[in-house]
Amino acid sequence: MLTAGQLTANLEKVRHRVDDACRRANRNPADVTLLAVSKLQPAAALRDIAMAGQMDFGENYVQEAMQKMADLADLNLCWHMTGHVQSRKAGDVAGRFALIHTLDSQKLAAALERHLVGKNLLQNVLIEVNIAQEPQKGGIDPDHLQELGEYVLANCPHLALRGVMCLPPVFDNGEAARPWFKKLRELRSDLAKGLDMDLPVLSMGMSGDFEAAIAEGATIIRIGTAIFGPRAVKK
């Protein structure tokens, strides 16, 4: 784990890069949310950068997220689920996160809806798009994006569809990822038109390519190693 000083310095470097990228794209930095992806990082590291004003965190593993929520409950952090959610875990995540980035099937949507009805809660969600149709990755095929969006609107009144998310095939590779970010933006626009609703959120861009994502309209960037350093291996 990096020291508090190292973590804070890394966070400030990322913030400056975000500001520079927004300036080049003629965008307001306030329109881009910096999400610190903290999977496999100790709660103490999250506390250190929270003290520097970072309040939005993304977690990939449900049980790890639950433990950190408990450990850091005094900080009133904003938690996002950025990892794959199995439908059998829907009850653990429904209503617990400000935003779930990885809705990828009607089965998961239905499972979340069932649990949200019982809790009488509204859950913000993004549809994860498998932008390059890679078999090893999660997300819905772009050709079925409209179908899933229509299903959510028709059958899941406790899910608030806010936009889309992707992990491109050349992630963390700077400008090489930009065409995929452009494609996601276009898919989001088509989906919004097809559903006749506003979908303001584009979750795309990681440590090595977030400037390109910002240039293509990202509203949430998911930054892990640029803040926390190399990730530990999950055991």
Side-chain angles (χ1 to χ4, degrees), residues 38 91 153 156 204:
S38 45
L153 288 189
C156 305
M204 59 188 193

Side-chain angles (χ1 to χ4, degrees), residues 118-192:
K119 298 175 181 179
N120 194 27
L121 295 172
L122 188 68
Q123 174 66 65
N124 292 315
V125 296
L126 305 179
I127 295 178
E128 180 182 8
V129 181
N130 189 334
I131 198 76
Q133 299 171 285
E134 297 176 277
Q136 76 276 20
K137 287 184 180 175
I140 195 162
D141 187 298
D143 292 339
H144 298 297
L145 175 58
Q146 181 77 27
E147 180 183 354
L148 180 54
E150 291 174 354
Y151 177 86
V152 170
L153 288 189
N155 299 282
C156 305
H158 294 83
L159 295 182
L161 184 57
R162 302 288 292 154
V164 292
M165 176 270 234
C166 81
L167 181 66
V170 286
F171 69 92
D172 268 3
N173 195 16
E175 284 293 311
R178 186 163 178 173
W180 299 104
F181 296 145
K182 179 182 178 182
K183 182 176 181 180
L184 187 71
R185 173 169 51 81
E186 292 170 346
L187 287 170
R188 187 273 307 266
S189 296
D190 291 343
L191 180 63

Side-chain angles (χ1 to χ4, degrees), residues 210-231:
F210 68 80
E211 285 100 341
I214 287 172
E216 292 296 339
T219 63
I220 298 177
I221 55 173
R222 310 183 305 271
I223 309 301
T225 56
I227 295 173
F228 295 104
R231 278 197 304 270

Side-chain angles (χ1 to χ4, degrees), residues 104-122:
D104 61 359
S105 68
Q106 292 184 12
K107 182 179 180 181
L108 177 58
L112 288 168
E113 176 66 23
R114 285 196 300 272
H115 289 284
L116 290 162
V117 169
K119 298 175 181 179
N120 194 27
L121 295 172
L122 188 68

Side-chain angles (χ1 to χ4, degrees), residues 4-235:
Q6 290 171 321
L7 289 166
T8 301
N10 286 348
L11 177 63
E12 285 305 307
K13 289 177 184 176
V14 171
R15 286 172 171 168
H16 286 308
R17 288 173 63 189
V18 171
D19 289 347
D20 289 344
C22 288
R23 185 163 48 251
R24 292 193 298 271
N26 294 314
R27 297 186 61 196
N28 184 345
D31 294 334
V32 179
T33 297
L34 170 57
L35 184 64
V37 177
S38 45
K39 64 181 180 182
L40 305 182
Q41 299 295 335
L46 280 65
R47 185 175 292 277
D48 286 339
I49 63 168
M51 294 299 100
Q54 177 62 37
M55 305 304 286
D56 294 280
F57 291 88
E59 288 287 330
N60 281 45
Y61 307 113
V62 175
Q63 293 309 121
E64 180 183 349
M66 298 298 109
Q67 185 61 55
K68 287 177 182 174
M69 287 179 179
D71 293 343
L72 302 171
D74 59 302
L75 296 179
N76 195 30
L77 302 177
C78 183
W79 297 96
H80 295 233
M81 173 49 64
T82 54
H84 175 69
V85 178
Q86 297 175 316
S87 57
R88 64 183 178 86
K89 292 282 189 179
D92 293 327
V93 301
R96 298 292 300 273
F97 293 87
L99 184 62
I100 296 173
H101 292 232
T102 51
L103 178 63
D104 61 359
S105 68
Q106 292 184 12
K107 182 179 180 181
L108 177 58
L112 288 168
E113 176 66 23
R114 285 196 300 272
H115 289 284
L116 290 162
V117 169
K119 298 175 181 179
N120 194 27
L121 295 172
L122 188 68
Q123 174 66 65
N124 292 315
V125 296
L126 305 179
I127 295 178
E128 180 182 8
V129 181
N130 189 334
I131 198 76
Q133 299 171 285
E134 297 176 277
Q136 76 276 20
K137 287 184 180 175
I140 195 162
D141 187 298
D143 292 339
H144 298 297
L145 175 58
Q146 181 77 27
E147 180 183 354
L148 180 54
E150 291 174 354
Y151 177 86
V152 170
L153 288 189
N155 299 282
C156 305
H158 294 83
L159 295 182
L161 184 57
R162 302 288 292 154
V164 292
M165 176 270 234
C166 81
L167 181 66
V170 286
F171 69 92
D172 268 3
N173 195 16
E175 284 293 311
R178 186 163 178 173
W180 299 104
F181 296 145
K182 179 182 178 182
K183 182 176 181 180
L184 187 71
R185 173 169 51 81
E186 292 170 346
L187 287 170
R188 187 273 307 266
S189 296
D190 291 343
L191 180 63
K193 183 178 180 180
L195 299 179
D196 191 25
M197 65 183 297
D198 185 32
L199 296 174
V201 180
L202 274 174
S203 173
M204 59 188 193
M206 299 170 69
S207 292
D209 57 23
F210 68 80
E211 285 100 341
I214 287 172
E216 292 296 339
T219 63
I220 298 177
I221 55 173
R222 310 183 305 271
I223 309 301
T225 56
I227 295 173
F228 295 104
R231 278 197 304 270
V233 177
K234 192 175 191 298
K235 298 180 180 179

